[in-house]
Amino acid sequence: MTIYSIPEKPAALIFDIDGTLYTNARYIKEQTDCQIRRFAETRNLDLKKARKMVKSYREEWAKLHGGKQRSLGNVLKDMGVPISESIAWRKELIDPAHYLKTDKKLCAVLARLAESHKLICITNNPVSVGRKTLKALGADPFFSGVIGLDTCGISKPDIKIFELAVKQAAASVERCISIGDRYDIDIALPLEMGMGGILVEGVKDLYTLENVLCTK
């Protein structure tokens, strides 16, 4: 866990979902690969070539942007796949119930945090996939809102998405903390906006989140 900033008396915690609320490398990989497979099918491309195209584009984009990461939704958009099409693919192809199960330890932590904080999720998947993920983990009851790729038709990082999360949290931006596993996608922009930011390596870091927050 890397703590970039924690505001005094934080009121809202804005969580990423994938790679943050659970740790499952196989599922994370499949979420990417199923979309690349569909990209290859719909564009009449060899799958190996399609994978290479995405990988090469991401590497070149990172070189031109100081090593920053580009979300898959934005990569596919840059390669001619409208966000609306990405949304449809994700709704059809991604099923978290095949990979995830209830995390009682996570749920216990979230239940306690929800007593004193508003909990919001932002995901680059559609809202329905985000909710299915939360339900698979047993965490759905603790989140008052889920903002997804189909909420605004844009992918993180985008200031409109984070502004909407702040609005849903009914808190000032200075009292919100963004929590996620990718700095460029989940943390950098919220820090610029004045939020707190916590970078995690996986769900195990969240098990100790209360200890971090109780210092404020």
Side-chain angles (χ1 to χ4, degrees), residues 31-199:
Q31 288 186 60
T32 297
D33 204 53
C34 71
Q35 293 178 77
I36 296 175
R37 293 196 301 268
R38 180 58 58 87
F39 173 64
E41 292 169 6
T42 57
R43 271 57 178 177
N44 296 315
L45 297 170
D46 174 76
L47 179 55
K48 185 176 181 180
K49 180 179 180 180
R51 286 176 174 149
K52 186 176 181 180
M53 285 173 62
V54 172
K55 182 175 183 291
S56 297
Y57 183 91
R58 279 182 146 167
E59 290 175 347
E60 186 62 27
W61 194 93
K63 288 179 183 177
L64 295 173
H65 295 84
K68 292 182 179 179
Q69 299 179 58
R70 186 79 164 153
S71 71
L72 181 60
N74 282 327
V75 169
L76 291 175
K77 182 182 69 173
D78 294 345
M79 297 173 71
V81 179
I83 289 292
S84 58
E85 191 170 2
S86 289
I87 290 168
W89 291 357
R90 290 169 188 248
K91 286 182 177 179
E92 177 189 351
L93 300 172
I94 299 173
D95 188 351
H98 289 163
Y99 297 88
L100 305 176
K101 61 183 180 180
T102 299
D103 185 337
K104 293 182 179 179
K105 194 169 183 178
L106 172 67
C107 290
V109 171
L110 293 174
R112 291 190 294 270
L113 290 173
E115 292 176 358
S116 54
H117 303 80
K118 184 70 71 70
L119 306 188
I120 304 287
C121 279
I122 300 179
T123 175
N124 275 346
N125 276 320
V127 170
S128 60
V129 176
R131 282 292 183 188
K132 286 180 182 178
T133 303
L134 295 179
K135 288 176 181 177
L137 295 169
D140 190 52
F142 311 114
F143 288 92
S144 60
V146 177
I147 298 167
L149 186 59
D150 49 347
T151 304
C152 301
I154 46 181
S155 183
K156 289 188 293 182
D158 189 286
I159 193 167
K160 292 180 183 178
I161 298 172
F162 290 104
E163 286 177 341
L164 180 57
V166 172
K167 183 177 180 180
Q168 287 191 10
S172 65
V173 67
E174 294 82 8
R175 296 187 65 195
C176 295
I177 303 175
S178 184
I179 302 167
D181 67 310
R182 295 181 294 176
Y183 179 82
D184 295 330
I185 307 298
D186 303 313
I187 308 299
L189 181 56
L191 288 176
E192 291 178 13
M193 294 171 64
M195 290 191 209
I198 300 176
L199 182 68

